[in-house]
Amino acid sequence: MHSTMRYSIFSTLVAAADIAAAQSNAPTDAFMQSCAAFANNTQIPNSTFSTATFVPAGANLTFPNADPSCTRPSQLVAAAMCRIQANITTSATSEVSFEAWLPQNWTGRFLSTGNGGLGGCIQYEDMDFASSLGFASVATNNGHDGMSGQPLFQNAGVVEDFVYRAMFTGITVGKQVSQNFYQMPPTKSYYLGCSTGGRQGMKMVQDFPDLFDGVVAGAPAMNFNNLNTWSAHFLPVTGSNTSETFVSEALWNLVHDDIVAQCDDKDGFKDGILEAPDLCRYQADKLLCSDTVVAPNCLTQPQVTTVNTVFSDLKGPNGTVLYPRMQPGSEKTGAFPAYYNGQASDKSDWIKFVVQADPNFDLTKFTPDLWAKADSLNPFDVATFKGDISAFQQRGGKLLHYHGTMDPIISSDNSPRYYEIVRATMGLEPAQLDDFYRYFRISGMGHCSGGPGAHFIGNQRKQLADPNKPEDNLLMNMVRWVEEGQAPEVVTGVAFVNDTQGGEVAFTRNHCRWPLMNKFSGSGDPNDAASWQCVPYANTI
Ligand SMILES: *[C@@H]1O[C@H](CO)[C@@H](O)[C@H](O)[C@H]1NC(C)=O
Ligand SMILES: *[C@@H]1O[C@H](CO)[C@@H](O)[C@H](O)[C@H]1NC(C)=O
Ligand SMILES: *[C@@H]1O[C@H](CO)[C@@H](O)[C@H](O)[C@H]1NC(C)=O
Ligand SMILES: *[C@@H]1O[C@H](CO)[C@@H](O)[C@H](O)[C@H]1NC(C)=O
Ligand SMILES: *[C@@H]1O[C@H](CO)[C@@H](O)[C@H](O)[C@H]1NC(C)=O
Ligand SMILES: *[C@@H]1O[C@H](CO)[C@@H](O)[C@H](O)[C@H]1NC(C)=O
Ligand SMILES: *[C@@H]1O[C@H](CO)[C@@H](O)[C@H](O)[C@H]1NC(C)=O
Ligand SMILES: *[C@@H]1O[C@H](CO)[C@@H](O)[C@H](O)[C@H]1NC(C)=O
């Protein structure tokens, strides 16, 4: 339905009585009828088509036309909702694919989900998670389909969508659609995303501070230009898997054990998890082969150099840090297949398709001194590294930033750098920043999920500590902060035996907010979060 002509902020089709019925748990008939009626008048500006479809609880949606690289062929839907789909034109050369999931049991809240990598993919699992918690939830495909960076090649419209516009469009249209459907504006608006989704959340905080009351931003891909230089620099550092600089996965496991041996006791307890990897200034030199220690239990000098380079900050010609080192500890949570396997990967697509603008660019030829090109290009300020977030503070916004300290894709060393930039730019001390911006390190968590630490923090449904209590999660902690003024002091995480969600609890841990670090008290059960304390660094070193 081409709805541009009929668009009007104040006109609605849905009868108030239907809405009232829908908000209670009255028969779904009224809600179904509301959704069917809405299908005739979704009122989405600049859309080339739109639909509204009632989806009952327990439905298994399938997405046969979705790009296979999105790896989301189906989604089980937990709560009844009206599903809106639309394609919205954003420029002469770009459009976004948009969805809003409007739950029958609406709480009055609005939420936008985010994307991942260079994708291209609606995160249906997050849509379901949020709409089942009563949020009117929206998502877009971020302006293109699939995980490849190819659609960004020589298309400024698609790049602009990727940087901010798809997100901005999804949110502004989504709020309007929600208002038209429920006949009242959202009471509060939230954002939940990780990785690229973390960057998108930060972008909204920095550039569109009025959109959200609460933003949960995980492992944000901020400092984006230099992040991509850093991502592309691993291949020249490791070389191909036949070069003398190459370090095999088995040797990386050796390095990991050496890191744990050297650094794990800095938090007071040896459990294979570094609470503060920033205290670990790891050098691999002790693993150098000698007369007594020989292959495969040691590293050659070129291999030592490779490892030490990976754990060194990437610096520009004048010595400024472009992007921090890989944080030590992440050797077994996916860093090898992501960066160390001696092969070009799609993690370098931004460099290939946007910076070099050459689909045939040989990534083995990439040298870090090309960073200046990536940095100066900075389309639509994709860097997303502005320290002044005072507009967000002044509108009463709350920002919950988290990052796994075993993240193998985006070094968690970059996150405290952002915190410190905000602190320096705004001239605020942590006690003042605590009012509106809190950063939590999630020890032993990989990239947005997984890892040996207490990573079940409820940032996604698959990360819930108690799958039977979906309401007990990071997002609802944010809601409590925004709506009741109760800020999270810690983020509690659970680790399960064999990483089996909802199974036998291995240990719990209260993840501390920056600039505090988690330290074992020295007595009590180390598996009990209460045996650990958040302490200032000065008390630990
Ligand atoms: C939607 O519009 C069509 C064509 O105008 C009409 O036949 C149909 O009854 C409408 N459906 C609802 C639920 O209003
Ligand atoms: C529709 O698109 C036009 C041109 O791209 C733009 O100027 C306008 O703001 C859009 N309308 C809405 C309501 O977003
Ligand atoms: C949903 O449907 C798809 C495709 O038929 C199927 O592969 C998948 O297992 C189904 N999911 C559930 C939870 O039933
Ligand atoms: C809407 O966009 C999706 C995703 O890009 C595309 O697959 C689909 O063909 C589009 N639908 C219409 C009707 O244009
Ligand atoms: C509707 O949401 C409320 C909380 O907002 C919850 O207590 C209730 O169980 C939900 N009802 C259904 C049918 O999901
Ligand atoms: C080395 O890399 C090539 C591709 O460049 C791959 O085909 C081969 O399987 C790799 N060998 C090992 C031992 O990983
Ligand atoms: C070093 O280079 C960076 C990146 O171009 C620049 O921002 C910074 O101002 C330079 N610092 C000095 C001291 O020249
Ligand atoms: C964990 O996995 C091991 C090895 O597969 C198994 O023996 C053990 O029973 C599992 N424990 C739990 C609680 O699932």
Side-chain angles (χ1 to χ4, degrees):
M1 176 77 31
H2 203 294
S3 49
T4 311
M5 303 291 291
R6 283 201 251 152
Y7 178 69
S8 150
I9 289 183
F10 300 105
S11 82
T12 56
L13 262 187
V14 189
D18 285 353
I19 289 300
Q23 279 164 21
S24 70
N25 295 317
T28 55
D29 284 5
F31 185 77
M32 286 169 71
Q33 278 165 23
S34 302
C35 189
F38 199 64
N40 273 358
N41 191 8
T42 53
Q43 306 174 24
I44 297 178
N46 292 338
S47 61
T48 51
F49 97 104
S50 64
T51 64
T53 320
F54 172 75
V55 180
N60 180 8
L61 293 179
T62 56
F63 315 107
N65 298 325
D67 191 294
S69 65
C70 289
T71 63
R72 290 173 173 88
S74 64
Q75 178 64 48
L76 204 57
V77 174
M81 51 101 176
C82 185
R83 179 189 182 198
I84 317 295
Q85 292 170 270
N87 287 2
I88 304 166
T89 303
T90 50
S91 78
T93 61
S94 59
E95 68 169 9
V96 300
S97 179
F98 163 89
E99 296 214 11
W101 289 16
L102 307 174
Q104 177 177 352
N105 196 12
W106 185 49
T107 57
R109 300 184 183 115
F110 173 87
L111 180 138
S112 177
T113 62
N115 303 94
L118 286 194
C121 301
I122 289 177
Q123 302 194 165
Y124 291 108
E125 69 281 17
D126 293 338
M127 294 287 278
D128 173 61
F129 182 45
S131 66
S132 72
L133 290 166
F135 294 82
S137 307
V138 299
T140 78
N141 70 341
N142 213 14
H144 64 279
D145 289 327
M147 293 305 289
S148 166
Q150 177 90 47
L152 282 68
F153 176 56
Q154 292 184 331
N155 190 332
V158 175
V159 171
E160 187 165 357
D161 280 354
F162 171 79
V163 175
Y164 76 94
R165 190 173 54 193
M167 178 63 53
F168 178 79
T169 303
I171 295 160
T172 48
V173 170
K175 283 186 179 181
Q176 197 59 63
V177 165
S178 175
Q179 172 164 346
N180 292 346
F181 184 73
Y182 294 115
Q183 292 196 299
M184 61 179 91
T187 51
K188 295 287 177 192
S189 297
Y190 297 90
Y191 178 84
L192 179 69
C194 196
S195 193
T196 276
R199 184 191 67 77
Q200 290 168 318
M202 289 295 190
K203 188 73 177 162
M204 297 301 116
V205 167
Q206 293 170 18
D207 291 356
F208 303 97
D210 293 334
L211 295 180
F212 294 108
D213 300 288
V215 169
V216 180
M222 302 181 287
N223 191 7
F224 186 82
N225 304 298
N226 293 333
L227 165 62
N228 279 276
T229 302
W230 180 77
S231 297
H233 100 292
F234 289 104
L235 181 55
V237 169
T238 64
S240 74
N241 61 14
T242 53
S243 57
E244 61 169 10
T245 48
F246 186 76
V247 179
S248 69
E249 189 159 19
L251 287 178
W252 276 109
N253 290 341
L254 193 71
V255 169
H256 178 78
D257 293 344
D258 193 39
I259 287 170
V260 170
Q262 287 192 31
C263 297
D264 190 17
D265 58 1
K266 291 184 189 299
D267 56 29
F269 187 69
K270 285 195 177 235
D271 57 357
I273 296 165
L274 280 51
E275 292 295 328
D278 51 332
L279 291 179
C280 184
R281 310 318 299 184
Y282 178 72
Q283 296 278 312
D285 300 67
K286 284 185 183 150
L287 293 178
L288 189 62
C289 297
S290 66
D291 293 344
T292 51
V293 186
V294 297
N297 297 315
C298 59
L299 304 182
T300 63
Q301 186 57 58
Q303 291 171 330
V304 166
T305 301
T306 295
V307 173
N308 288 348
T309 305
V310 163
F311 294 127
S312 301
D313 294 343
L314 181 63
K315 290 182 178 168
N318 69 7
T320 47
V321 176
L322 301 177
Y323 203 81
R325 62 177 191 160
M326 179 63 91
Q327 85 272 277
S330 55
E331 303 71 36
K332 285 181 169 177
T333 50
F336 185 82
Y339 290 138
Y340 308 157
N341 67 2
Q343 291 171 36
S345 84
D346 64 1
K347 304 218 166 33
S348 301
D349 271 10
W350 180 264
I351 296 292
K352 187 154 106 179
F353 292 112
V354 181
V355 177
Q356 296 299 103
D358 175 5
N360 299 315
F361 181 68
D362 179 359
L363 288 159
T364 62
K365 302 280 191 301
F366 183 82
T367 55
D369 60 4
L370 289 176
W371 71 273
K373 191 170 172 185
D375 194 49
S376 63
L377 207 58
N378 190 26
F380 311 104
D381 194 20
V382 69
T384 317
F385 219 40
K386 283 184 195 139
D388 181 1
I389 54 172
S390 54
F392 185 71
Q393 174 198 18
Q394 278 153 23
R395 61 95 69 212
K398 308 294 181 201
L399 172 59
L400 197 164
H401 169 188
Y402 69 91
H403 206 143
T405 65
M406 285 198 185
D407 189 328
I409 310 288
I410 297 176
S411 176
S412 67
D413 273 20
N414 193 54
S415 274
R417 283 185 81 213
Y418 181 65
Y419 185 97
E420 295 302 332
I421 287 170
V422 172
R423 175 179 174 168
T425 306
M426 296 182 66
L428 298 177
E429 285 314 306
Q432 298 166 300
L433 287 170
D434 273 352
D435 286 344
F436 68 98
Y437 173 26
R438 294 182 176 219
Y439 165 55
F440 296 88
R441 285 183 296 182
I442 313 299
S443 63
M445 181 195 245
H447 188 58
C448 301
S449 65
H455 66 81
F456 287 88
I457 59 171
N459 55 327
Q460 311 165 28
R461 188 190 292 284
K462 71 170 184 181
Q463 288 266 114
L464 286 171
D466 185 345
N468 297 317
K469 285 193 196 158
E471 68 282 2
D472 187 8
N473 64 47
L474 198 62
L475 173 61
M476 296 314 289
N477 281 346
M478 170 54 93
V479 167
R480 201 164 55 196
W481 189 7
V482 166
E483 298 181 14
E484 296 169 31
Q486 190 182 331
E489 294 297 310
V490 294
V491 169
T492 300
V494 172
F496 292 106
V497 176
N498 295 343
D499 215 27
T500 306
Q501 185 185 22
E504 187 185 326
V505 172
F507 60 95
T508 57
R509 204 156 287 180
N510 290 329
H511 302 292
C512 303
R513 69 185 188 280
W514 186 264
L516 303 176
M517 76 165 270
N518 210 356
K519 192 141 200 276
F520 181 50
S521 62
S523 62
D525 179 1
N527 291 334
D528 181 352
S531 305
W532 295 70
Q533 287 174 321
C534 297
V535 295
Y537 271 71
N539 296 2
T540 69
I541 308 165

